[in-house]
Amino acid sequence: MLHYEIHEMHRAELIREAEERRLVREVAAVRRTARRGRKDEEGRVSRSPDDRFTRAA
């Protein structure tokens, strides 16, 4: 019975760790989305990445 109890405790710990990692990833994704939203609100002059630099003569 001891092995089964240890196994169940370890399993529960792994499930908690997985849930915590999922939560961390979700929070990071929400923050990224919020940051991108703020950038869009400020407005961007050019949407194309090629327009960042002017051409050399």
Side-chain angles (χ1 to χ4, degrees):
M1 191 66 167
L2 180 64
H3 292 290
Y4 178 75
E5 291 172 357
I6 291 173
H7 171 74
E8 286 299 307
M9 288 185 339
H10 184 64
R11 180 177 174 265
E13 183 179 342
L14 290 175
I15 290 171
R16 279 192 300 272
E17 288 177 8
E19 181 61 32
E20 183 179 346
R21 288 179 184 165
R22 266 187 241 114
L23 183 61
V24 167
R25 282 195 310 264
E26 184 179 339
V27 167
V30 168
R31 285 182 179 172
R32 258 192 320 272
T33 302
R35 223 175 329 162
R36 288 179 184 150
R38 283 195 304 261
K39 287 181 183 176
D40 289 343
E41 289 173 6
E42 293 174 1
R44 188 173 168 157
V45 176
S46 173
R47 294 280 180 202
S48 172
D50 296 334
D51 292 340
R52 280 189 270 177
F53 304 103
T54 59
R55 287 184 169 220

Short mmCIF file of all heavy atoms in Angstrom, two decimals:
data_model
loop_
_atom_site.label_atom_id
_atom_site.label_comp_id
_atom_site.label_asym_id
_atom_site.label_seq_id
_atom_site.Cartn_x
_atom_site.Cartn_y
_atom_site.Cartn_z
N MET A 1 0.81 -1.19 0.00
CA MET A 1 0.00 0.00 0.00
C MET A 1 0.86 1.26 0.00
O MET A 1 0.48 2.26 -0.58
CB MET A 1 -0.92 -0.03 1.23
CG MET A 1 -1.98 1.01 1.21
SD MET A 1 -3.11 0.65 -0.13
CE MET A 1 -4.42 1.71 0.27
N LEU A 2 2.01 1.21 0.61
CA LEU A 2 2.88 2.37 0.68
C LEU A 2 3.29 2.84 -0.72
O LEU A 2 3.29 4.04 -1.01
CB LEU A 2 4.12 2.06 1.52
CG LEU A 2 5.12 3.20 1.66
CD1 LEU A 2 4.48 4.37 2.41
CD2 LEU A 2 6.35 2.73 2.37
N HIS A 3 3.63 1.92 -1.60
CA HIS A 3 4.04 2.29 -2.95
C HIS A 3 2.91 2.99 -3.70
O HIS A 3 3.14 3.96 -4.42
CB HIS A 3 4.50 1.06 -3.74
CG HIS A 3 5.76 0.46 -3.21
ND1 HIS A 3 6.97 1.08 -3.34
CD2 HIS A 3 5.99 -0.69 -2.55
CE1 HIS A 3 7.90 0.35 -2.80
NE2 HIS A 3 7.33 -0.75 -2.30
N TYR A 4 1.71 2.49 -3.52
CA TYR A 4 0.56 3.10 -4.18
C TYR A 4 0.33 4.53 -3.68
O TYR A 4 0.08 5.44 -4.47
CB TYR A 4 -0.70 2.25 -3.94
CG TYR A 4 -1.92 2.85 -4.56
CD1 TYR A 4 -2.13 2.77 -5.94
CD2 TYR A 4 -2.87 3.49 -3.78
CE1 TYR A 4 -3.26 3.34 -6.51
CE2 TYR A 4 -4.00 4.06 -4.34
CZ TYR A 4 -4.19 3.97 -5.71
OH TYR A 4 -5.29 4.54 -6.29
N GLU A 5 0.45 4.74 -2.38
CA GLU A 5 0.26 6.08 -1.81
C GLU A 5 1.33 7.04 -2.31
O GLU A 5 1.04 8.19 -2.63
CB GLU A 5 0.25 6.00 -0.29
CG GLU A 5 -0.98 5.30 0.26
CD GLU A 5 -0.87 5.05 1.76
OE1 GLU A 5 0.17 5.37 2.36
OE2 GLU A 5 -1.85 4.53 2.32
N ILE A 6 2.56 6.58 -2.36
CA ILE A 6 3.66 7.41 -2.88
C ILE A 6 3.39 7.75 -4.34
O ILE A 6 3.57 8.90 -4.77
CB ILE A 6 5.01 6.70 -2.71
CG1 ILE A 6 5.37 6.64 -1.22
CG2 ILE A 6 6.11 7.43 -3.49
CD1 ILE A 6 6.60 5.82 -0.92
N HIS A 7 2.96 6.75 -5.09
CA HIS A 7 2.65 6.98 -6.50
C HIS A 7 1.54 8.02 -6.66
O HIS A 7 1.64 8.92 -7.50
CB HIS A 7 2.22 5.65 -7.16
CG HIS A 7 1.67 5.83 -8.53
ND1 HIS A 7 2.47 6.10 -9.61
CD2 HIS A 7 0.40 5.79 -8.99
CE1 HIS A 7 1.71 6.22 -10.68
NE2 HIS A 7 0.45 6.02 -10.33
N GLU A 8 0.50 7.93 -5.87
CA GLU A 8 -0.61 8.88 -5.95
C GLU A 8 -0.17 10.28 -5.54
O GLU A 8 -0.60 11.27 -6.15
CB GLU A 8 -1.78 8.41 -5.07
CG GLU A 8 -2.55 7.25 -5.66
CD GLU A 8 -3.15 7.60 -7.00
OE1 GLU A 8 -3.87 8.61 -7.12
OE2 GLU A 8 -2.91 6.83 -7.96
N MET A 9 0.69 10.40 -4.54
CA MET A 9 1.19 11.72 -4.14
C MET A 9 2.04 12.33 -5.26
O MET A 9 1.93 13.52 -5.56
CB MET A 9 2.00 11.61 -2.85
CG MET A 9 1.15 11.35 -1.64
SD MET A 9 2.00 11.33 -0.02
CE MET A 9 3.69 11.04 -0.37
N HIS A 10 2.88 11.50 -5.86
CA HIS A 10 3.73 11.98 -6.95
C HIS A 10 2.87 12.40 -8.14
O HIS A 10 3.12 13.43 -8.78
CB HIS A 10 4.72 10.88 -7.35
CG HIS A 10 5.69 11.31 -8.39
ND1 HIS A 10 6.61 12.30 -8.19
CD2 HIS A 10 5.87 10.88 -9.67
CE1 HIS A 10 7.32 12.47 -9.28
NE2 HIS A 10 6.89 11.61 -10.20
N ARG A 11 1.86 11.61 -8.44
CA ARG A 11 0.95 11.92 -9.54
C ARG A 11 0.25 13.25 -9.29
O ARG A 11 0.14 14.10 -10.19
CB ARG A 11 -0.08 10.80 -9.68
CG ARG A 11 -1.08 11.00 -10.77
CD ARG A 11 -2.00 9.78 -10.87
NE ARG A 11 -3.05 10.01 -11.80
CZ ARG A 11 -4.26 10.45 -11.50
NH1 ARG A 11 -4.58 10.65 -10.24
NH2 ARG A 11 -5.17 10.66 -12.42
N ALA A 12 -0.23 13.46 -8.08
CA ALA A 12 -0.91 14.71 -7.74
C ALA A 12 0.05 15.90 -7.85
O ALA A 12 -0.33 16.97 -8.34
CB ALA A 12 -1.47 14.62 -6.32
N GLU A 13 1.29 15.69 -7.45
CA GLU A 13 2.29 16.76 -7.55
C GLU A 13 2.56 17.10 -9.02
O GLU A 13 2.65 18.28 -9.38
CB GLU A 13 3.59 16.31 -6.88
CG GLU A 13 4.66 17.36 -6.87
CD GLU A 13 5.93 16.89 -6.18
OE1 GLU A 13 5.86 15.91 -5.41
OE2 GLU A 13 6.97 17.50 -6.43
N LEU A 14 2.66 16.10 -9.87
CA LEU A 14 2.88 16.34 -11.29
C LEU A 14 1.70 17.08 -11.92
O LEU A 14 1.90 17.97 -12.75
CB LEU A 14 3.12 15.02 -12.03
CG LEU A 14 4.45 14.32 -11.73
CD1 LEU A 14 4.50 12.97 -12.43
CD2 LEU A 14 5.62 15.18 -12.15
N ILE A 15 0.51 16.73 -11.51
CA ILE A 15 -0.68 17.40 -12.03
C ILE A 15 -0.68 18.87 -11.60
O ILE A 15 -0.97 19.76 -12.40
CB ILE A 15 -1.96 16.68 -11.58
CG1 ILE A 15 -2.07 15.33 -12.29
CG2 ILE A 15 -3.20 17.53 -11.82
CD1 ILE A 15 -3.17 14.43 -11.78
N ARG A 16 -0.32 19.14 -10.36
CA ARG A 16 -0.25 20.53 -9.87
C ARG A 16 0.80 21.32 -10.65
O ARG A 16 0.57 22.46 -11.05
CB ARG A 16 0.08 20.57 -8.38
CG ARG A 16 -1.10 20.34 -7.47
CD ARG A 16 -0.78 20.67 -6.02
NE ARG A 16 0.32 19.87 -5.48
CZ ARG A 16 0.18 18.68 -4.92
NH1 ARG A 16 -1.02 18.15 -4.81
NH2 ARG A 16 1.22 18.02 -4.45
N GLU A 17 1.97 20.71 -10.87
CA GLU A 17 3.03 21.39 -11.62
C GLU A 17 2.59 21.68 -13.05
O GLU A 17 2.87 22.76 -13.59
CB GLU A 17 4.30 20.53 -11.63
CG GLU A 17 5.01 20.49 -10.31
CD GLU A 17 6.23 19.58 -10.35
OE1 GLU A 17 6.60 19.09 -11.44
OE2 GLU A 17 6.81 19.35 -9.27
N ALA A 18 1.93 20.73 -13.68
CA ALA A 18 1.45 20.94 -15.05
C ALA A 18 0.43 22.07 -15.10
O ALA A 18 0.46 22.91 -16.02
CB ALA A 18 0.85 19.64 -15.60
N GLU A 19 -0.46 22.11 -14.14
CA GLU A 19 -1.46 23.17 -14.10
C GLU A 19 -0.80 24.54 -13.89
O GLU A 19 -1.18 25.52 -14.52
CB GLU A 19 -2.47 22.90 -12.98
CG GLU A 19 -3.56 23.94 -12.86
CD GLU A 19 -4.41 24.04 -14.11
OE1 GLU A 19 -4.61 23.02 -14.80
OE2 GLU A 19 -4.88 25.15 -14.41
N GLU A 20 0.22 24.57 -13.04
CA GLU A 20 0.93 25.82 -12.80
C GLU A 20 1.63 26.29 -14.08
O GLU A 20 1.59 27.47 -14.42
CB GLU A 20 1.95 25.63 -11.68
CG GLU A 20 2.69 26.90 -11.32
CD GLU A 20 3.68 26.68 -10.19
OE1 GLU A 20 3.61 25.64 -9.51
OE2 GLU A 20 4.54 27.56 -10.00
N ARG A 21 2.26 25.37 -14.79
CA ARG A 21 2.93 25.73 -16.04
C ARG A 21 1.93 26.23 -17.07
O ARG A 21 2.20 27.18 -17.80
CB ARG A 21 3.71 24.54 -16.59
CG ARG A 21 4.94 24.24 -15.78
CD ARG A 21 5.67 23.05 -16.30
NE ARG A 21 6.81 22.75 -15.44
CZ ARG A 21 7.47 21.64 -15.45
NH1 ARG A 21 7.13 20.68 -16.29
NH2 ARG A 21 8.49 21.44 -14.64
N ARG A 22 0.77 25.58 -17.16
CA ARG A 22 -0.27 26.04 -18.08
C ARG A 22 -0.71 27.45 -17.74
O ARG A 22 -0.88 28.30 -18.62
CB ARG A 22 -1.48 25.11 -18.03
CG ARG A 22 -1.44 24.03 -19.06
CD ARG A 22 -2.74 23.23 -19.07
NE ARG A 22 -2.38 21.86 -18.76
CZ ARG A 22 -2.73 21.18 -17.69
NH1 ARG A 22 -3.50 21.72 -16.79
NH2 ARG A 22 -2.32 19.95 -17.49
N LEU A 23 -0.88 27.71 -16.45
CA LEU A 23 -1.30 29.03 -16.01
C LEU A 23 -0.25 30.09 -16.35
O LEU A 23 -0.58 31.17 -16.83
CB LEU A 23 -1.56 29.02 -14.50
CG LEU A 23 -2.07 30.32 -13.89
CD1 LEU A 23 -3.40 30.72 -14.51
CD2 LEU A 23 -2.20 30.16 -12.39
N VAL A 24 1.02 29.76 -16.15
CA VAL A 24 2.11 30.70 -16.46
C VAL A 24 2.11 31.01 -17.96
O VAL A 24 2.24 32.17 -18.37
CB VAL A 24 3.47 30.13 -16.01
CG1 VAL A 24 4.62 30.91 -16.61
CG2 VAL A 24 3.55 30.12 -14.50
N ARG A 25 1.95 29.98 -18.80
CA ARG A 25 1.92 30.20 -20.25
C ARG A 25 0.71 31.05 -20.64
O ARG A 25 0.81 31.93 -21.50
CB ARG A 25 1.88 28.87 -21.00
CG ARG A 25 3.23 28.19 -21.08
CD ARG A 25 3.24 27.09 -22.12
NE ARG A 25 2.12 26.17 -22.00
CZ ARG A 25 2.14 25.01 -21.37
NH1 ARG A 25 3.25 24.60 -20.79
NH2 ARG A 25 1.08 24.23 -21.32
N GLU A 26 -0.42 30.80 -20.01
CA GLU A 26 -1.63 31.56 -20.32
C GLU A 26 -1.46 33.03 -19.94
O GLU A 26 -1.82 33.92 -20.70
CB GLU A 26 -2.83 30.96 -19.58
CG GLU A 26 -4.14 31.61 -19.91
CD GLU A 26 -5.29 30.98 -19.16
OE1 GLU A 26 -5.18 29.82 -18.72
OE2 GLU A 26 -6.32 31.66 -19.02
N VAL A 27 -0.89 33.28 -18.77
CA VAL A 27 -0.66 34.66 -18.34
C VAL A 27 0.30 35.36 -19.30
O VAL A 27 0.09 36.51 -19.68
CB VAL A 27 -0.13 34.70 -16.88
CG1 VAL A 27 0.42 36.07 -16.53
CG2 VAL A 27 -1.21 34.28 -15.92
N ALA A 28 1.36 34.67 -19.71
CA ALA A 28 2.32 35.25 -20.65
C ALA A 28 1.64 35.59 -21.97
O ALA A 28 1.89 36.65 -22.56
CB ALA A 28 3.49 34.30 -20.88
N ALA A 29 0.78 34.71 -22.45
CA ALA A 29 0.08 34.96 -23.70
C ALA A 29 -0.85 36.17 -23.58
O ALA A 29 -0.92 37.00 -24.50
CB ALA A 29 -0.71 33.72 -24.12
N VAL A 30 -1.54 36.27 -22.45
CA VAL A 30 -2.43 37.42 -22.24
C VAL A 30 -1.64 38.71 -22.19
O VAL A 30 -2.03 39.72 -22.78
CB VAL A 30 -3.27 37.22 -20.95
CG1 VAL A 30 -3.98 38.51 -20.56
CG2 VAL A 30 -4.26 36.10 -21.14
N ARG A 31 -0.50 38.69 -21.52
CA ARG A 31 0.34 39.89 -21.44
C ARG A 31 0.86 40.28 -22.82
O ARG A 31 0.89 41.46 -23.16
CB ARG A 31 1.51 39.67 -20.48
CG ARG A 31 1.10 39.69 -19.05
CD ARG A 31 2.29 39.51 -18.15
NE ARG A 31 1.89 39.57 -16.75
CZ ARG A 31 2.67 39.29 -15.74
NH1 ARG A 31 3.93 38.93 -15.97
NH2 ARG A 31 2.24 39.36 -14.51
N ARG A 32 1.28 39.28 -23.60
CA ARG A 32 1.75 39.56 -24.96
C ARG A 32 0.64 40.20 -25.79
O ARG A 32 0.87 41.19 -26.49
CB ARG A 32 2.19 38.27 -25.65
CG ARG A 32 3.67 38.07 -25.69
CD ARG A 32 4.07 36.95 -26.62
NE ARG A 32 3.24 35.77 -26.59
CZ ARG A 32 3.39 34.74 -25.77
NH1 ARG A 32 4.35 34.74 -24.88
NH2 ARG A 32 2.59 33.70 -25.83
N THR A 33 -0.55 39.65 -25.68
CA THR A 33 -1.68 40.18 -26.43
C THR A 33 -1.99 41.60 -25.99
O THR A 33 -2.24 42.47 -26.83
CB THR A 33 -2.92 39.29 -26.23
OG1 THR A 33 -2.60 37.96 -26.65
CG2 THR A 33 -4.09 39.79 -27.03
N ALA A 34 -1.94 41.85 -24.70
CA ALA A 34 -2.21 43.20 -24.19
C ALA A 34 -1.15 44.18 -24.67
O ALA A 34 -1.46 45.31 -25.04
CB ALA A 34 -2.27 43.18 -22.66
N ARG A 35 0.10 43.75 -24.66
CA ARG A 35 1.19 44.61 -25.13
C ARG A 35 1.00 44.94 -26.61
O ARG A 35 1.18 46.08 -27.02
CB ARG A 35 2.52 43.89 -24.93
CG ARG A 35 3.58 44.78 -24.38
CD ARG A 35 4.84 44.01 -24.09
NE ARG A 35 4.48 42.65 -23.70
CZ ARG A 35 5.29 41.61 -23.69
NH1 ARG A 35 6.51 41.76 -24.02
NH2 ARG A 35 4.89 40.42 -23.35
N ARG A 36 0.65 43.95 -27.40
CA ARG A 36 0.42 44.19 -28.83
C ARG A 36 -0.76 45.12 -29.03
O ARG A 36 -0.75 45.94 -29.94
CB ARG A 36 0.18 42.86 -29.55
CG ARG A 36 1.43 42.05 -29.68
CD ARG A 36 1.16 40.74 -30.38
NE ARG A 36 2.36 39.93 -30.40
CZ ARG A 36 2.37 38.61 -30.40
NH1 ARG A 36 1.23 37.95 -30.43
NH2 ARG A 36 3.50 37.95 -30.41
N GLY A 37 -1.76 44.98 -28.19
CA GLY A 37 -2.91 45.86 -28.28
C GLY A 37 -2.55 47.31 -28.01
O GLY A 37 -3.03 48.22 -28.67
N ARG A 38 -1.69 47.53 -27.04
CA ARG A 38 -1.25 48.89 -26.73
C ARG A 38 -0.47 49.47 -27.90
O ARG A 38 -0.59 50.64 -28.21
CB ARG A 38 -0.39 48.91 -25.48
CG ARG A 38 -1.19 48.79 -24.21
CD ARG A 38 -0.35 49.19 -23.01
NE ARG A 38 0.88 48.42 -22.91
CZ ARG A 38 1.06 47.38 -22.12
NH1 ARG A 38 0.09 46.97 -21.36
NH2 ARG A 38 2.22 46.76 -22.08
N LYS A 39 0.36 48.67 -28.53
CA LYS A 39 1.14 49.17 -29.67
C LYS A 39 0.21 49.59 -30.79
O LYS A 39 0.44 50.58 -31.46
CB LYS A 39 2.11 48.09 -30.17
CG LYS A 39 3.28 47.88 -29.25
CD LYS A 39 4.20 46.82 -29.81
CE LYS A 39 5.35 46.55 -28.86
NZ LYS A 39 6.21 45.48 -29.33
N ASP A 40 -0.85 48.82 -31.02
CA ASP A 40 -1.79 49.16 -32.07
C ASP A 40 -2.53 50.45 -31.75
O ASP A 40 -2.85 51.23 -32.64
CB ASP A 40 -2.79 48.02 -32.31
CG ASP A 40 -2.14 46.82 -32.96
OD1 ASP A 40 -1.03 46.98 -33.52
OD2 ASP A 40 -2.73 45.73 -32.90
N GLU A 41 -2.82 50.68 -30.48
CA GLU A 41 -3.53 51.89 -30.09
C GLU A 41 -2.69 53.13 -30.34
O GLU A 41 -3.20 54.18 -30.69
CB GLU A 41 -3.92 51.83 -28.62
CG GLU A 41 -5.02 50.84 -28.32
CD GLU A 41 -5.27 50.68 -26.84
OE1 GLU A 41 -4.66 51.44 -26.05
OE2 GLU A 41 -6.04 49.80 -26.46
N GLU A 42 -1.38 53.02 -30.14
CA GLU A 42 -0.50 54.16 -30.36
C GLU A 42 -0.47 54.53 -31.83
O GLU A 42 -0.23 55.66 -32.20
CB GLU A 42 0.91 53.84 -29.89
CG GLU A 42 1.03 53.68 -28.39
CD GLU A 42 2.42 53.22 -27.98
OE1 GLU A 42 3.28 53.06 -28.87
OE2 GLU A 42 2.63 53.04 -26.79
N GLY A 43 -0.70 53.58 -32.67
CA GLY A 43 -0.72 53.82 -34.10
C GLY A 43 0.67 53.64 -34.69
O GLY A 43 1.67 53.99 -34.09
N ARG A 44 0.69 53.10 -35.84
CA ARG A 44 1.96 52.87 -36.51
C ARG A 44 1.89 53.54 -37.87
O ARG A 44 0.88 53.44 -38.56
CB ARG A 44 2.18 51.38 -36.64
CG ARG A 44 3.53 51.03 -37.13
CD ARG A 44 3.77 49.56 -37.07
NE ARG A 44 4.97 49.31 -37.84
CZ ARG A 44 5.72 48.27 -37.68
NH1 ARG A 44 5.39 47.37 -36.80
NH2 ARG A 44 6.80 48.11 -38.39
N VAL A 45 2.94 54.19 -38.25
CA VAL A 45 2.95 54.90 -39.52
C VAL A 45 2.94 53.91 -40.67
O VAL A 45 2.21 54.07 -41.63
CB VAL A 45 4.18 55.84 -39.60
CG1 VAL A 45 4.24 56.50 -40.95
CG2 VAL A 45 4.12 56.85 -38.49
N SER A 46 3.74 52.88 -40.54
CA SER A 46 3.87 51.91 -41.63
C SER A 46 3.57 50.51 -41.12
O SER A 46 4.03 50.12 -40.06
CB SER A 46 5.29 51.96 -42.19
OG SER A 46 5.46 50.93 -43.12
N ARG A 47 2.82 49.75 -41.87
CA ARG A 47 2.51 48.38 -41.48
C ARG A 47 3.53 47.39 -42.05
O ARG A 47 3.63 46.28 -41.60
CB ARG A 47 1.11 47.99 -41.99
CG ARG A 47 0.02 48.76 -41.36
CD ARG A 47 -0.30 48.19 -40.02
NE ARG A 47 -1.39 48.95 -39.42
CZ ARG A 47 -1.60 48.98 -38.14
NH1 ARG A 47 -0.84 48.31 -37.33
NH2 ARG A 47 -2.58 49.69 -37.65
N SER A 48 4.27 47.81 -43.05
CA SER A 48 5.21 46.91 -43.71
C SER A 48 6.56 46.95 -43.01
O SER A 48 7.10 48.03 -42.75
CB SER A 48 5.38 47.32 -45.17
OG SER A 48 6.41 46.58 -45.76
N PRO A 49 7.16 45.80 -42.73
CA PRO A 49 8.49 45.81 -42.10
C PRO A 49 9.57 46.34 -43.03
O PRO A 49 10.61 46.78 -42.60
CB PRO A 49 8.75 44.34 -41.75
CG PRO A 49 7.73 43.56 -42.49
CD PRO A 49 6.63 44.46 -42.89
N ASP A 50 9.31 46.37 -44.34
CA ASP A 50 10.29 46.88 -45.30
C ASP A 50 10.41 48.40 -45.25
O ASP A 50 11.37 48.96 -45.73
CB ASP A 50 9.92 46.47 -46.73
CG ASP A 50 9.95 44.96 -46.91
OD1 ASP A 50 10.69 44.29 -46.16
OD2 ASP A 50 9.22 44.46 -47.80
N ASP A 51 9.42 49.06 -44.68
CA ASP A 51 9.41 50.52 -44.64
C ASP A 51 10.14 51.07 -43.42
O ASP A 51 10.11 52.28 -43.18
CB ASP A 51 7.97 51.04 -44.63
CG ASP A 51 7.28 50.77 -45.95
OD1 ASP A 51 7.99 50.54 -46.97
OD2 ASP A 51 6.04 50.76 -45.98
N ARG A 52 10.80 50.23 -42.67
CA ARG A 52 11.48 50.72 -41.46
C ARG A 52 12.69 51.58 -41.79
O ARG A 52 13.02 52.51 -41.10
CB ARG A 52 11.93 49.54 -40.59
CG ARG A 52 10.82 48.99 -39.76
CD ARG A 52 11.36 48.00 -38.80
NE ARG A 52 11.31 46.70 -39.47
CZ ARG A 52 11.74 45.58 -38.98
NH1 ARG A 52 12.32 45.56 -37.80
NH2 ARG A 52 11.64 44.45 -39.63
N PHE A 53 13.38 51.24 -42.85
CA PHE A 53 14.60 51.95 -43.22
C PHE A 53 14.42 52.59 -44.59
O PHE A 53 13.79 52.02 -45.48
CB PHE A 53 15.79 51.01 -43.24
CG PHE A 53 15.99 50.29 -41.94
CD1 PHE A 53 15.62 48.97 -41.81
CD2 PHE A 53 16.53 50.93 -40.84
CE1 PHE A 53 15.79 48.31 -40.62
CE2 PHE A 53 16.70 50.28 -39.64
CZ PHE A 53 16.34 48.95 -39.53
N THR A 54 15.03 53.75 -44.76
CA THR A 54 14.97 54.39 -46.08
C THR A 54 16.03 53.79 -46.98
O THR A 54 17.01 53.20 -46.51
CB THR A 54 15.19 55.91 -45.96
OG1 THR A 54 16.46 56.11 -45.36
CG2 THR A 54 14.12 56.54 -45.13
N ARG A 55 15.85 53.94 -48.26
CA ARG A 55 16.82 53.40 -49.21
C ARG A 55 18.07 54.27 -49.24
O ARG A 55 18.02 55.48 -49.13
CB ARG A 55 16.23 53.36 -50.61
CG ARG A 55 15.20 52.28 -50.76
CD ARG A 55 14.76 52.24 -52.20
NE ARG A 55 13.98 51.05 -52.41
CZ ARG A 55 14.06 50.31 -53.49
NH1 ARG A 55 14.87 50.65 -54.46
NH2 ARG A 55 13.32 49.24 -53.61
N ALA A 56 19.18 53.60 -49.45
CA ALA A 56 20.43 54.33 -49.60
C ALA A 56 20.48 54.90 -51.02
O ALA A 56 19.89 54.37 -51.95
CB ALA A 56 21.61 53.40 -49.37
N ALA A 57 21.20 55.99 -51.17
CA ALA A 57 21.28 56.67 -52.48
C ALA A 57 21.99 55.88 -53.50
O ALA A 57 22.38 54.93 -53.77
CB ALA A 57 22.00 58.00 -52.35
#
